[in-house]
């Protein structure tokens, strides 16, 4: 039986990971440590309230004493580290929090792990798995080969620079101290519980309200899209059979220009809402409810400063070494995702208007 500490488990990927893990390993102990920033939502984990193998700790990864205590008292053997400031636009407006959380926070966790697992010398098998991003590799031209694990780091935003710093620290703690680490660098995730500041949920919810869809620059930037469960699957494969000290890239082999994703979203909504009077009544401000194409909301706005043009992931290593293969194609994953947001209106309304914080207080006294 494994005892996991999942940092950032109330965020988008973390909450999906906890679900994914529990479906596979029903007897493992899961402890989530999350500071519940604007992006963390305790309600995303409420289905675990009666799970005796699940604990939620409201706290900060930068709190060395707290992390050390959790590692010791709960005899944690595996850290899966998601906690981060994750939104590129926010890092442009306010980089400080990104350096504090992503670089310093990761360092605090590493120090605590070293103390608990190496200095205190229990000799127990342990793993520090660091969840990182393809953005550390910088940007690609249209004909450049995809990022491999050997591509030079060229982070372009304060977000990606702070993640690059954390990747280097993780590597150094393995090289210098022998901490058993693995790192994954993944492409753009989409799926349930994603905070509506990222492209897909933001555009979806804007469209439902008849608000503009703000396309940065010419909309021809390319991202590789991966359904969130397939990211979780990749992390599970690395935890199970990945080589300690190694880095694995995870991607969906689905490079798409933003405009193509946006057009697909618009067409889906036209079909869904146009063909369903009940949905049309729920979202009367959406163009589709009034017989107008959702694409009429597309609005070109000033580009993101320093905007990376293209990301692409070479998944050769994780595929050949660990037999990794994503289970969802973009079409089916995307449709499932839209359906989830339409079914879970209360979730996104609450995260957007902050009322989930009140709910958390009532429910958990925090
Ligand atoms: P998110 O913003 O949805 O969630 C981040 C979580 O971390 C939140 O629950 C937040 O409360 C928590 N957190 C933030 N600061 C904290 C702190 N100091 N202490 C404890 N908890 C804190 O992010 P996400 O999209 O789920 O991303 C998770 C991880 O995956 C990040 O490390 C990100 O860099 C990486 N990643 C994300 C993507 C993507 O497409 N979203 C792709 C590749 C890698
Ligand atoms: O590549 C992995 C990264 O993917 C993760 O490390 C980040 O945490 C995650 O946020 C994501 O970063 P991006 O910047 O690619 O995601 P975002 O959803 O913010 O934007 C996707 C693309 O859409 C990007 O080219 C910018 C564009 N965009 C985004 C927003 C929010 C718009 O055109 N308009 C928008 O309003």
């Amino acid at each position: 039986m494994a005892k996991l500490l999942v940092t950032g488990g109330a965020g988008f990927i973390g909450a999906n990971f906890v679900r994914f893990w529990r479906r596979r390993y029903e007897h493992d102990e899961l402890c989530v440590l999350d500071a519940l920033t604007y992006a963390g939502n305790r309600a995303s984990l409420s289905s675990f309230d009666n799970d005796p193998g699940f604990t939620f700790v409201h706290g900060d990864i930068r709190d060395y004493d707290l992390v050390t205590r959790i590692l010791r008292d709960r005899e944690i053997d595996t850290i899966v580290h998601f906690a981060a400031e994750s939104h590129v636009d926010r890092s442009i407006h306010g980089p400080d929090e990104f350096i504090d959380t992503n670089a310093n926070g990761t360092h605090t966790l590493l120090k605590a792990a070293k103390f608990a697992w190496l200095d205190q010398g229990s000799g127990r098998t342990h793993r520090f798995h660091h969840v990182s991003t393809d953005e550390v590799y910088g940007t690609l031209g249209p004909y450049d080969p995809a990022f491999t694990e050997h591509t030079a780091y060229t982070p372009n935003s304060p977000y990606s620079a702070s993640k690059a710093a954390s990747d280097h620290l993780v590597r150094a703690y393995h090289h210098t101290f022998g901490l058993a680490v693995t790192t994954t660098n993944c492409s753009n995730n989409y799926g349930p519980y994603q905070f509506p500041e990222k492209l897909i949920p933001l555009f979806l919810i804007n469209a439902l309200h008849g608000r503009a869809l703000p396309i940065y620059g010419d909309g021809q930037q390319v991202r590789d899209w991966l359904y969130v469960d397939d990211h979780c699957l990749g992390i599970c494969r690395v935890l199970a059979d990945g080589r300690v000290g190694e880095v694995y890239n995870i991607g969906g082999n689905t490079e798409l220009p933003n405009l193509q994703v946006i057009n697909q979203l618009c067409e889906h909504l036209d079909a869904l809402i146009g063909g369903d009077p009940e949905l049309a009544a729920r979202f009367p401000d959406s163009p589709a409810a009034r017989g107008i194409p959702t694409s009429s909301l597309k609005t070109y706005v000033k580009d993101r400063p320093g905007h990376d043009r293209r990301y692409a992931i070479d998944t050769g290593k994780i595929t050949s070494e660990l037999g990794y293969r994503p289970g969802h194609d973009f079409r089916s994953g995307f449709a499932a995702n839209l359906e989830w947001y339409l079914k879970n209106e209360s979730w996104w309304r609450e995260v957007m208007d902050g009322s989930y914080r009140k709910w958390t207080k009532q429910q958990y006294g925090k």
Side-chain angles (χ1 to χ4, degrees):
M1 183 184 74
K3 296 183 179 185
L4 270 71
L5 174 64
V6 181
T7 72
F12 162 46
I13 307 174
N16 280 286
F17 178 82
V18 171
R19 289 188 148 64
F20 191 91
W21 191 273
R22 180 48 92 226
R23 285 199 296 272
R24 299 196 140 205
Y25 306 104
E26 57 180 308
H27 299 300
D28 284 357
E29 284 182 20
L30 290 161
C31 175
V32 166
L33 171 64
D34 199 295
L36 296 180
T37 67
Y38 78 94
N41 184 5
R42 181 64 182 83
S44 303
L45 296 167
S46 56
S47 60
F48 293 95
D49 284 351
N50 297 320
D51 180 337
F54 174 85
T55 346
F56 182 83
V57 179
H58 182 201
D60 200 302
I61 56 165
R62 291 167 291 187
D63 184 341
Y64 176 81
D65 292 339
L66 172 67
V67 177
T68 313
R69 230 178 13 253
I70 294 172
L71 294 180
R72 186 196 58 211
D73 294 352
R74 300 187 180 279
E75 299 177 328
I76 300 292
D77 51 42
T78 307
I79 296 176
V80 190
H81 175 35
F82 293 96
E85 290 295 333
S86 69
H87 191 40
V88 175
D89 290 333
R90 284 180 191 255
S91 83
I92 294 166
H93 299 299
D96 290 359
E97 196 64 20
F98 285 71
I99 309 304
D100 279 352
T101 292
N102 301 357
N104 293 335
T106 301
H107 187 230
T108 304
L109 272 184
L110 286 163
K111 277 194 299 183
K114 172 178 173 289
F115 178 73
W117 290 335
L118 301 178
D119 301 345
Q120 296 260 296
S122 67
R124 249 181 316 127
T125 307
H126 65 268
R127 179 72 69 86
F128 187 111
H129 182 76
H130 178 53
V131 181
S132 193
T133 170
D134 60 356
E135 300 202 8
V136 297
Y137 299 122
T139 185
L140 293 169
Y143 304 110
D144 287 339
F147 300 133
T148 72
E149 291 77 3
H150 299 292
T151 302
Y153 272 37
T154 323
N156 286 320
S157 70
Y159 162 68
S160 53
S162 67
K163 290 297 290 186
S166 65
D167 293 8
H168 291 317
L169 286 163
V170 170
R171 185 181 173 281
Y173 266 67
H174 172 67
H175 186 81
T176 302
F177 303 117
L179 198 71
V181 307
T182 39
T183 295
T184 43
N185 293 84
C186 187
S187 59
N188 283 62
N189 287 212
Y190 65 98
Y193 301 107
Q194 187 169 34
F195 192 84
E197 64 186 349
K198 308 283 165 60
L199 180 74
I200 292 176
L202 174 74
F203 276 39
L204 167 62
I205 290 164
N206 276 9
L208 293 176
H209 290 96
R211 293 195 289 252
L213 309 179
I215 301 167
Y216 296 162
D218 62 3
Q220 292 299 342
Q221 303 83 3
V222 172
R223 297 291 181 266
D224 171 55
W225 292 95
L226 182 71
Y227 191 66
V228 63
D229 272 2
D230 286 327
H231 185 184
C232 299
L233 173 67
I235 294 169
C236 286
R237 292 297 305 119
V238 172
L239 282 170
D241 295 318
R243 285 178 292 141
V244 167
E246 290 289 316
V247 172
Y248 295 87
N249 285 349
I250 305 179
N253 302 316
T254 306
E255 275 188 64
L256 295 170
N258 291 341
L259 267 180
Q260 200 172 319
V261 175
I262 295 161
N263 288 339
Q264 190 166 323
L265 176 79
C266 292
E267 284 161 21
H268 252 84
L269 282 180
D270 289 346
L272 275 174
I273 297 178
D276 182 343
E278 200 189 307
L279 270 182
R282 269 174 65 200
F283 301 107
D285 295 328
S286 67
R290 291 173 283 127
I292 301 166
T294 306
S295 60
S296 60
L297 297 173
K298 288 191 325 194
T299 309
Y300 289 87
V301 299
K302 198 166 159 283
D303 207 352
R304 171 187 278 175
H307 200 168
D308 286 338
R309 194 69 181 164
R310 174 180 164 233
Y311 303 140
I313 289 269
D314 181 332
T315 54
K317 182 175 176 181
I318 193 166
T319 304
S320 61
E321 265 189 35
L322 306 179
Y324 170 75
R325 244 171 220 85
H328 301 78
D329 61 47
F330 189 70
R331 205 150 258 290
S332 62
F334 193 77
N337 187 32
L338 290 200
E339 210 170 288
W340 187 88
Y341 275 89
L342 290 172
K343 273 200 184 128
N344 290 276
E345 188 181 344
S346 61
W347 180 88
W348 52 261
R349 284 208 185 281
E350 283 166 9
V351 299
M352 290 177 83
D353 71 11
S355 62
Y356 79 89
R357 291 185 189 284
K358 282 182 229 143
W359 179 89
T360 300
K361 267 209 172 93
Q362 281 164 5
Q363 202 83 358
Y364 304 99
K366 287 178 182 133

